[in-house]
């Protein structure tokens, strides 16, 4: 596991997105129903609409398990050019993905397995890979502060 030690911002964020889109085939964004009105997010959801695979109401996603029967809306998307462009235009860092400003917990999946997992409110993110090529690519992102936890 690779721990991201500092919020990737600006070019570091964009380069991390590019690598995530290269390696992964899906990502998700989460809307917590207990954190205010959801109509605020309609513009970004509309922009991502063509990349949407499915939206599920779930109590568990890549970085969180809700208790007390709570659920959230989890939107699963394809990692296509449109989605990459939107994610770069609406946010300037990985931890910008937090309600009430944006949907939260932007996380990426490679063949159904968690690859980049973000817990936005806690300002934590992890990359799960043992692939040497992927580790080399992640380590090569200039300005990305990392710690490898083997």
């Amino acid at each position: 596991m690779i721990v991201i030690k500092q919020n990737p911002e600006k070019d570091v964020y964009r380069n991390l997105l590019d690598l995530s889109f290269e390696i992964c085939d899906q990502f998700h964004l989460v809307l917590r129903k207990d954190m205010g009105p959801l109509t605020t997010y309609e513009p970004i959801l509309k922009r991502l609409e063509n990349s949407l695979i499915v939206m599920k109401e779930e109590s568990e996603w890549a970085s969180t398990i809700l208790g007390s029967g709570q659920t959230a809306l989890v939107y699963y998307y394809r990692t296509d050019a449109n989605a990459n462009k939107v994610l770069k235009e609406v946010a300037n860092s990985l931890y910008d993905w937090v309600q009430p400003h944006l949907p939260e917990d932007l996380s990426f999946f490679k063949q159904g397995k968690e690859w980049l997992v973000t817990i936005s409110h806690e300002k934590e993110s992890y990359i799960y890979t043992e692939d040497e090529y992927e580790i080399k690519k992640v380590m090569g992102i200039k300005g990305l502060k990392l710690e490898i936890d083997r």
Side-chain angles (χ1 to χ4, degrees):
M1 172 175 68
I2 301 172
V3 179
I4 297 177
K5 300 296 288 180
Q6 183 179 336
N7 185 14
E9 299 177 306
K10 301 176 183 167
D11 285 342
V12 179
Y13 166 71
R14 289 185 282 281
N15 291 333
L16 179 59
L17 279 184
D18 286 341
L19 181 60
S20 298
F21 273 77
E22 175 188 325
I23 292 171
C24 300
D25 52 4
Q26 289 185 22
F27 69 95
H28 77 35
L29 292 169
V30 179
L31 289 177
R32 298 273 307 264
K33 298 184 298 181
D34 60 339
M35 300 185 77
L38 300 182
T39 54
T40 309
Y41 307 103
E42 288 174 4
I44 187 170
L45 297 177
K46 183 74 174 157
R47 290 186 66 193
L48 288 168
E49 191 172 65
N50 291 335
S51 305
L52 182 66
I53 298 167
V54 67
M55 185 278 291
K56 299 179 182 178
E57 189 167 346
E58 300 181 306
S59 60
E60 183 176 339
W61 56 91
S63 61
T64 302
I65 299 173
L66 296 176
S68 305
Q70 293 181 28
T71 59
L73 304 178
V74 184
Y75 292 80
Y76 293 87
Y77 295 96
R78 281 183 294 285
T79 53
D80 59 25
N82 173 66
N84 191 350
K85 180 180 180 217
V86 172
L87 296 185
K88 289 176 181 175
E89 289 176 355
V90 301
N92 204 29
S93 80
L94 191 57
Y95 300 144
D96 283 353
W97 294 100
V98 63
Q99 283 181 258
H101 306 293
L102 290 171
E104 59 186 32
D105 294 348
L106 172 64
S107 297
F108 287 83
F109 304 87
K110 178 183 175 185
Q111 300 173 346
K113 294 185 179 178
E114 297 167 351
W115 191 81
L116 169 61
V117 174
T118 304
I119 310 162
S120 300
H121 277 100
E122 303 297 328
K123 296 187 177 354
E124 293 179 15
S125 49
Y126 308 93
I127 295 173
Y128 296 99
T129 185
E130 294 181 5
D131 182 293
E132 291 300 323
Y133 170 79
E134 293 174 6
I135 293 169
K136 183 178 178 182
K137 294 288 277 189
V138 170
M139 301 297 284
I141 297 175
K142 185 177 179 178
L144 187 60
K145 306 293 185 211
L146 306 167
E147 178 179 294
I148 296 182
D149 184 7
R150 294 198 187 240

